[in-house]
Amino acid sequence: MLTPLKATARLASGALAAGGLAGCAGPQSALDPAGRDAAQIADLFIWMVVGAAVVWLVVIGLAIYATLHRAADGDRKRVRLFIIGGGALFPTVVLTGLLMYGLSLLPDLLTDGSADGPQIEVVGEQWWWRVRYQLPDGRRFELANELWLPVGERVPVTLLTADVIHAFWVPALAGKIDMVPGRINKMALHPTRTGLFRGACAEYCGLSHARMAFHARVVERAEFEAWADLQAAPARAPVDAPGAQLFMSLGCGACHTVRGTEARGMVGPDLTHVGSRVSLGAAVLPNDVEAFRRWLEELDRLKPGVHMPAFRMLPEHERLTLAQWLEGLQ
Ligand code: CUA
């Protein structure tokens, strides 16, 4: 329902857009919400801006008035009214109103996700996101730097960190929450329309803090289930291919898991279906054979400080063979 409050907020956000903020739209904008929580936060932001603008205008207006008019002795009463009304009463009323409005949103924002749907756990790492799913039927799988969500459902997300403080933020879907060592934080994502949205780390966490982004893809229920079936299944690329043999003989499996093969390392991202993801290296590169080849050759330049070494010592054709096999892990 379009309440007068919402209608005014929409009018205000429309005015903002017309005022040159049209660039605030897009897959990583808190002002272009695609989730229930993000929409409430965007409304709150608009009202905060309106409230601040009104307080500022009135106070500046009074200041200008006061410099232009010298109060005569008989004006004492009017002066007191100005000071008490404009200096105390008016800001108190406006700020209390905004505070009450903000507090009234809290119960909704703190609502738990549904226990009947997928359960997601995200672990912040330097500098990527380990993503674990548990499906209602008990199946579990892991991937990296990508979340898929069924539209219209409230999905619980548990947030952990493997090292330092990171902050998980998909501006178009919800607010941000820190991932703090030794703590388990919880939130919920409740997307209201389908699409591909971008998330970022919102807490400085080291050298490549700006290079740990991720994607959240919101799809219809049926598409989500097809995706989850694929993710829960072992790798589909041939395990006896030259690329697979190279992967095993170089010891990549000590850090990476490719389910269905001997590779069971837990240090780096699970690569079982890495070829099906939107991006490589936490949204540093697109996802194609050339990107895998570049990643192997110069990941230390693409993501300074990364734990994985670059494989420049490999002959070019071996990097290409590896790249082709990895891209084939759909
Ligand atoms: Cu992780 Cu900033």
Side-chain angles (χ1 to χ4, degrees):
M1 203 185 77
L2 197 68
T3 59
L5 191 80
K6 278 187 182 155
T8 317
R10 242 177 246 165
L11 210 66
S13 66
L16 275 178
L21 289 176
C24 291
Q28 195 180 311
S29 174
L31 295 179
D32 187 12
R36 207 191 74 180
D37 306 65
Q40 288 178 327
I41 293 169
D43 282 352
L44 178 64
F45 170 75
I46 299 289
W47 280 109
M48 289 284 190
V49 171
V50 170
V54 170
V55 170
W56 185 82
L57 282 174
V58 169
V59 171
I60 294 298
L62 287 178
I64 292 172
Y65 181 85
T67 51
L68 296 182
H69 297 80
R70 282 214 68 83
D73 273 351
D75 278 349
R76 282 284 160 223
K77 218 169 144 197
R78 218 152 58 109
V79 169
R80 209 169 297 138
L81 199 73
F82 258 31
I83 292 173
I84 295 173
L89 211 61
F90 173 70
T92 305
V93 167
V94 174
L95 296 180
T96 306
L98 286 174
L99 177 68
M100 298 315 276
Y101 173 44
L103 289 176
S104 75
L105 296 180
L106 269 185
D108 241 16
L109 293 174
L110 294 175
T111 310
D112 286 342
S114 162
D116 305 329
Q119 315 286 306
I120 305 179
E121 182 179 288
V122 184
V123 186
E125 308 248 1
Q126 278 177 316
W127 289 272
W128 57 284
W129 311 84
R130 189 187 295 274
V131 180
R132 297 193 180 109
Y133 274 76
Q134 184 177 348
L135 302 175
D137 60 12
R139 284 181 296 165
R140 292 160 179 270
F141 58 84
E142 185 175 313
L143 69 158
N145 310 320
E146 196 162 307
L147 297 168
W148 282 52
L149 301 160
V151 69
E153 294 180 35
R154 194 161 182 83
V155 180
V157 183
T158 303
L159 302 166
L160 307 165
T161 173
D163 35 58
V164 298
I165 301 178
H166 303 270
F168 176 89
W169 192 24
V170 193
L173 296 185
K176 71 180 97 143
I177 294 195
D178 277 4
M179 302 158 123
V180 183
R183 273 192 69 93
I184 298 171
N185 283 341
K186 288 181 186 286
M187 70 180 299
L189 295 174
H190 192 152
T192 49
R193 64 178 156 92
T194 58
L196 182 65
F197 305 98
R198 198 171 184 278
C201 181
E203 181 72 42
Y204 180 70
C205 55
L207 208 52
S208 282
H209 153 71
R211 294 171 197 214
M212 62 178 292
F214 62 101
H215 288 96
R217 196 185 277 284
V218 179
V219 293
E220 298 293 342
R221 187 61 134 103
E223 198 181 338
F224 174 80
E225 271 164 27
W227 173 82
D229 286 345
L230 175 94
Q231 294 294 321
R236 292 198 295 188
V239 293
D240 53 354
Q245 287 169 2
L246 207 51
F247 188 85
M248 302 306 161
S249 67
L250 286 167
C252 306
C255 291
H256 295 284
T257 291
V258 179
R259 280 172 273 137
T261 75
E262 291 297 302
R264 297 201 185 99
M266 293 296 295
V267 180
D270 183 308
L271 300 179
T272 308
H273 299 288
V274 66
S276 71
R277 292 177 203 154
V278 179
S279 72
L280 279 193
V284 167
L285 289 178
N287 190 335
D288 53 32
V289 173
E290 170 55 18
F292 274 104
R293 196 201 58 73
R294 253 191 90 190
W295 182 253
L296 290 168
E297 184 183 323
E298 52 173 341
L299 76 144
D300 53 344
R301 289 179 206 139
L302 293 164
K303 187 171 295 217
V306 67
H307 297 315
M308 177 173 158
F311 282 75
R312 275 190 282 278
M313 69 294 198
L314 287 186
E316 177 66 33
H317 71 272
E318 288 194 352
R319 274 200 300 272
L320 191 61
T321 306
L322 264 177
Q324 282 164 342
W325 184 69
L326 288 166
E327 204 274 332
L329 291 173
Q330 294 288 332

